[in-house]
Amino acid sequence: ASDVYKRQHELDLVADLATPHGLEAVVSRIHRFGASVRVELDGLEGAAARGEPVHYEALLPRERAIPLADGQRVRLVPTRLRVFRDEAA
């Protein structure tokens, strides 16, 4: 078994839902401060589709933040992932 981790600044948000990459989520809250935008999202795929709440946060530089609105559906695309393998498995 393996665990995959991402940091909140290692995610991009894509408004094109037809893209085959990433996970679909809905924007639940947007925090704009200084040169950064922190976006809170609720997942719509995987465990979330089975009724288990999945929450994500993305931290973007303002120049990389697409125009967003609460309730908007987007795709979360990781720019970097880390995989940790369970050596005991």
Side-chain angles (χ1 to χ4, degrees):
S2 299
D3 290 319
V4 177
Y5 294 93
K6 60 80 191 156
R7 294 181 180 162
Q8 64 182 1
H9 61 275
E10 295 174 342
L11 282 175
D12 276 335
L13 303 181
V14 178
D16 180 6
L17 298 177
T19 187
H21 306 289
L23 299 171
E24 192 171 353
V26 63
V27 175
S28 59
R29 194 163 187 190
I30 303 166
H31 304 274
R32 292 177 173 88
F33 53 95
S36 299
V37 176
R38 189 177 83 213
V39 183
E40 296 179 20
L41 307 110
D42 295 316
L44 298 175
E45 295 182 17
R50 294 188 302 272
E52 301 171 31
V54 178
H55 184 75
Y56 300 99
E57 287 186 9
L59 182 62
L60 305 168
R62 195 173 285 270
E63 64 271 5
R64 265 188 33 223
I66 60 174
L68 295 169
D70 288 349
Q72 180 178 350
R73 291 171 77 143
V74 296
R75 296 212 46 100
L76 297 166
V77 180
T79 57
R80 183 175 179 192
L81 290 176
R82 287 170 187 74
V83 177
F84 297 90
R85 299 194 190 284
D86 183 1
E87 299 298 329

